[in-house]
Amino acid sequence: MDYVFEHLNNNSILVVLIIVLLLWSGIFIFLMGLNKKVKELEKLVSKDDV
Amino acid sequence: MQKLWQSNFKFYILFLMISFVLIAGIAFPIMERPTAWFHYPFIQGLGENAKIIFFHVPTAWITVIAFFMSMYFSIRYLRSNDIFYDLKAHVSAQLGMIFCVLATVTGSVWAKFAWGEFWHWDPRETSIFALLLIYGALFALRSAIESEEKRAKLSAVYNILSFLTVPFFIFIMPRIMPGLHPGSADDDNAGPVVDFKMNANMQAVFYFSLFSFTLLYVWIWRLGYKVSRLKYLLDKE
């Protein structure tokens, strides 16, 4: 257990980096999903206009 | 080429750009004598805290751009009475507010490690707090008015008046008053950081970060506007 804590302590910058990259990936996936939904809705609205 | 641009390809490029900024901003080491391309120089008075510049400055930069664009669309609304300009201005003000909070939080974290406390009422901190209050009042104003046209008109006027304070609070006041923030009137330690203390590698990552965050703002703004526009059109039906 001590080894794990020591390892995390020595590599804290990498732990922070992994957390930040995961957060950014989550935000990106959310935005891509929203982008897809908006495109579909725009198609529906433009069809209704026609 | 046009087909490639119209696909999601550009978003994946932006994902890689921001990922690179995150990796370079967090993991690249600061050295007394930089020898490799990925080494940053040690800046007297900033030390390891200097890395915050890759995230704090771009968020403050986007705040100014977003509030400027919000003012621009408010002027366009007053000239044309087109409600979609009001939606554009509103989405940009929302994004400006989000990035302003991010700039405040990143600055506050930096202050904890550089000055010992999260908040000091330094001129820079006070000015960004005043800015948050001014733009917070814009959203309170919008939510208090039910008539669509009246809301759009009043918030456009308020938005234009609000932006007049932005250059003063962001660029002028913190520079003419003595304070702790780099670049203040009595600063003889760390500032100006960008021009003289960074090496070419650090400057390249810094400007790349500014560019990437600007593209991220443009993407989120377009997406936010499309959502607001669709919501408006569906509500009208």
Side-chain angles (χ1 to χ4, degrees), chain A residues 13 20 24 28 31 35 38 42, chain B residues 11 15 18-19 26 219 223:
Chain A
I13 202 87
V20 171
W24 163 233
F28 181 76
L31 288 172
N35 193 41
V38 166
E42 274 180 331
Chain B
F11 302 128
F15 176 76
I18 298 273
S19 300
I26 293 172
W219 182 31
L223 210 48

Side-chain angles (χ1 to χ4, degrees), chain A residues 12-14 16-18 20-21 24-32 34-43 45 48-49, chain B residues 6-8 11-12 14-16 18-20 22-24 26-27 48 51 216 219-220 223-224 226-227 229-230 233-234 237:
Chain A
S12 52
I13 202 87
L14 291 177
V16 171
L17 180 63
I18 289 166
V20 171
L21 282 175
W24 163 233
S25 303
I27 292 168
F28 181 76
I29 290 166
F30 168 75
L31 288 172
M32 286 299 281
L34 191 63
N35 193 41
K36 197 180 164 192
K37 276 180 195 164
V38 166
K39 273 184 184 168
E40 285 168 5
L41 269 172
E42 274 180 331
K43 271 183 194 167
V45 170
D48 286 352
D49 286 346
Chain B
Q6 280 170 350
S7 70
N8 288 335
F11 302 128
Y12 294 118
L14 180 63
F15 176 76
L16 292 177
I18 298 273
S19 300
F20 172 75
L22 293 173
I23 293 166
I26 293 172
E48 281 286 331
K51 285 182 183 179
L216 181 66
W219 182 31
I220 300 177
L223 210 48
K226 281 179 181 176
V227 171
R229 188 171 169 275
L230 280 169
L233 291 173
L234 292 172
E237 279 178 6

Side-chain angles (χ1 to χ4, degrees), chain B:
Chain B
M1 190 68 188
Q2 200 180 353
K3 218 170 188 180
L4 198 67
W5 185 247
Q6 280 170 350
S7 70
N8 288 335
F9 178 71
K10 54 183 178 288
F11 302 128
Y12 294 118
I13 295 284
L14 180 63
F15 176 76
L16 292 177
M17 286 166 76
I18 298 273
S19 300
F20 172 75
V21 169
L22 293 173
I23 293 166
I26 293 172
F28 284 8
I30 288 178
M31 311 293 269
E32 290 271 3
R33 288 194 183 84
T35 48
W37 67 270
F38 54 85
H39 288 168
Y40 298 137
F42 183 84
I43 299 172
Q44 200 67 39
L46 289 178
E48 281 286 331
N49 301 332
K51 285 182 183 179
I52 198 77
I53 205 164
F54 300 121
F55 308 105
H56 176 63
V57 178
T59 47
W61 160 253
I62 296 303
T63 302
V64 176
I65 288 185
F67 287 154
F68 172 78
M69 291 310 292
S70 187
M71 180 206 61
Y72 169 74
F73 289 124
S74 292
I75 294 171
R76 294 287 301 263
Y77 170 75
L78 288 177
R79 287 170 68 98
S80 65
N81 267 337
D82 181 353
I83 196 71
F84 292 118
Y85 281 124
D86 175 60
L87 295 180
K88 286 178 182 178
H90 181 53
V91 170
S92 198
Q94 282 177 324
L95 277 178
M97 193 71 176
I98 291 169
F99 278 97
C100 195
V101 170
L102 284 174
T104 311
V105 170
T106 51
S108 189
V109 170
W110 183 80
K112 172 69 181 166
F113 292 102
W115 309 331
E117 292 290 337
F118 284 109
W119 202 261
H120 289 80
W121 294 108
D122 170 79
R124 177 71 75 172
E125 290 173 333
T126 312
S127 62
I128 207 157
F129 180 68
L131 211 57
L132 282 170
L133 289 182
I134 289 169
Y135 276 92
L138 170 70
F139 300 111
L141 178 77
R142 284 188 72 92
S143 62
I145 304 167
E146 277 193 26
S147 160
E148 180 187 290
E149 200 180 326
K150 199 174 172 188
R151 181 177 59 216
K153 211 158 259 178
L154 275 176
S155 55
V157 173
Y158 184 87
N159 213 341
I160 294 164
L161 290 175
S162 299
F163 186 76
L164 295 179
T165 66
V166 172
F168 178 74
F169 279 133
I170 299 272
F171 300 112
I172 300 171
M173 194 188 104
R175 282 187 171 77
I176 58 171
M177 289 180 74
L180 297 162
H181 195 278
S184 53
D186 60 344
D187 178 29
D188 53 359
N189 192 20
V193 176
V194 177
D195 294 340
F196 305 115
K197 308 279 169 51
M198 288 183 176
N199 64 359
N201 165 38
M202 201 171 183
Q203 277 194 14
V205 175
F206 172 69
Y207 289 117
F208 187 73
S209 174
L210 280 183
F211 180 64
S212 307
F213 273 91
T214 308
L215 290 183
L216 181 66
Y217 157 74
V218 172
W219 182 31
I220 300 177
W221 174 78
R222 283 192 61 181
L223 210 48
Y225 168 63
K226 281 179 181 176
V227 171
S228 299
R229 188 171 169 275
L230 280 169
K231 193 172 175 297
Y232 176 81
L233 291 173
L234 292 172
D235 284 349
K236 280 277 165 192
E237 279 178 6

